[in-house]
Amino acid sequence: MDNSSLVSVVIPAYNRAGTIKRCIDSVLAQTYGNLEIIVVDDCSQDGTYEAVRAMKSEKIKCLRL
């Protein structure tokens, strides 16, 4: 696969404020660079959404249900 193809990584999350940063960092550490990360927060009540939003990267999108 060449670097022109966009790869979407979808991460479902529910109450994962304590681990979501490590998960996203793992994706961002991959050698393939043309990717987007879509975190789908399923009504978390522990600050998961806020933890994702605090990660300032154009590659990260967070959808809150």
PDB file of all heavy atoms in Angstrom, residues 13 15 18 24 27 48:
ATOM      1  N   ALA A  13     -15.396   3.451  22.077  1.00  0.00           N
ATOM      2  CA  ALA A  13     -14.984   3.672  23.469  1.00  0.00           C
ATOM      3  C   ALA A  13     -16.187   3.909  24.363  1.00  0.00           C
ATOM      4  O   ALA A  13     -17.135   4.587  23.981  1.00  0.00           O
ATOM      5  CB  ALA A  13     -14.044   4.873  23.541  1.00  0.00           C
ATOM      6  N   ASN A  15     -16.332   4.768  28.569  1.00  0.00           N
ATOM      7  CA  ASN A  15     -15.655   4.944  29.859  1.00  0.00           C
ATOM      8  C   ASN A  15     -14.205   4.447  29.809  1.00  0.00           C
ATOM      9  O   ASN A  15     -13.789   3.607  30.606  1.00  0.00           O
ATOM     10  CB  ASN A  15     -16.435   4.253  30.986  1.00  0.00           C
ATOM     11  CG  ASN A  15     -17.712   4.997  31.320  1.00  0.00           C
ATOM     12  OD1 ASN A  15     -17.880   6.172  31.008  1.00  0.00           O
ATOM     13  ND2 ASN A  15     -18.630   4.309  31.954  1.00  0.00           N
ATOM     14  N   GLY A  18      -9.042   6.480  31.036  1.00  0.00           N
ATOM     15  CA  GLY A  18      -7.744   6.074  31.547  1.00  0.00           C
ATOM     16  C   GLY A  18      -6.846   5.386  30.536  1.00  0.00           C
ATOM     17  O   GLY A  18      -5.641   5.295  30.743  1.00  0.00           O
ATOM     18  N   ILE A  24      -4.684   5.726  21.275  1.00  0.00           N
ATOM     19  CA  ILE A  24      -4.484   6.677  20.179  1.00  0.00           C
ATOM     20  C   ILE A  24      -2.997   6.864  19.896  1.00  0.00           C
ATOM     21  O   ILE A  24      -2.578   6.886  18.727  1.00  0.00           O
ATOM     22  CB  ILE A  24      -5.175   8.014  20.488  1.00  0.00           C
ATOM     23  CG1 ILE A  24      -6.693   7.823  20.493  1.00  0.00           C
ATOM     24  CG2 ILE A  24      -4.758   9.087  19.486  1.00  0.00           C
ATOM     25  CD1 ILE A  24      -7.469   9.016  20.994  1.00  0.00           C
ATOM     26  N   VAL A  27      -1.713   4.109  17.709  1.00  0.00           N
ATOM     27  CA  VAL A  27      -2.059   4.272  16.295  1.00  0.00           C
ATOM     28  C   VAL A  27      -1.161   5.328  15.654  1.00  0.00           C
ATOM     29  O   VAL A  27      -0.632   5.126  14.549  1.00  0.00           O
ATOM     30  CB  VAL A  27      -3.548   4.657  16.121  1.00  0.00           C
ATOM     31  CG1 VAL A  27      -3.863   4.943  14.659  1.00  0.00           C
ATOM     32  CG2 VAL A  27      -4.451   3.556  16.657  1.00  0.00           C
ATOM     33  N   THR A  48     -13.973  10.504  28.902  1.00  0.00           N
ATOM     34  CA  THR A  48     -13.348   9.955  27.694  1.00  0.00           C
ATOM     35  C   THR A  48     -13.361  10.977  26.566  1.00  0.00           C
ATOM     36  O   THR A  48     -12.333  11.221  25.919  1.00  0.00           O
ATOM     37  CB  THR A  48     -14.056   8.660  27.242  1.00  0.00           C
ATOM     38  OG1 THR A  48     -13.926   7.675  28.271  1.00  0.00           O
ATOM     39  CG2 THR A  48     -13.467   8.124  25.952  1.00  0.00           C
TER      40      THR A  48
END
